[in-house]
Amino acid sequence: MSALLSSSLDYERTLPRLVRLAVPALGDLCAIDLLHDESGLHRVACAHVDAAREPLVHEIGTKHAGDSTGGQGVSAVIRTRRPVLVARATEADLRAAAQNAEQLALFRSPNRAAATVRWTSPLQRSSRATPRR
């Protein structure tokens, strides 16, 4: 992975390749969101062990991008700059993380992209935190 990261400064090409290396070596799903000052979080790369679920992973990260000032998930990681590990998401966790009924339905769907274990960790650049899922 370090060779890939040092091979190019073009994150739009490098990050999609990075998530492909992470899945399935490190987990069933990997998504990278970047925080932009003007427009909040943007999903820039995602991969799932089941390629058919990747559009759902992308949709959750784009259509339902979190408020970077919120209290759960990526928002909490951005605010605290500390990693978060969720070993098993309960119904209460899904309700707390969902921003609306549509997103809650996506989280509950049988084909959901969410993994049982979820690790969210910030990657920091300069004085700003950049989230990684």
Side-chain angles (χ1 to χ4, degrees), residues 34-42 68 125 128:
L34 295 181
L35 177 64
H36 295 279
D37 291 335
E38 314 80 39
S39 52
L41 292 171
H42 290 276
S68 62
R125 142 190 99 187
R128 303 223 3 141

Side-chain angles (χ1 to χ4, degrees), residues 11-17 19 30-36 41-47 58 61-62 130-131:
Y11 74 86
E12 292 176 343
R13 286 185 18 192
T14 304
L15 295 179
R17 292 171 51 205
V19 296
C30 181
I32 298 177
D33 300 318
L34 295 181
L35 177 64
H36 295 279
L41 292 171
H42 290 276
R43 172 85 18 111
V44 294
C46 64
H58 186 73
T62 54
T130 304

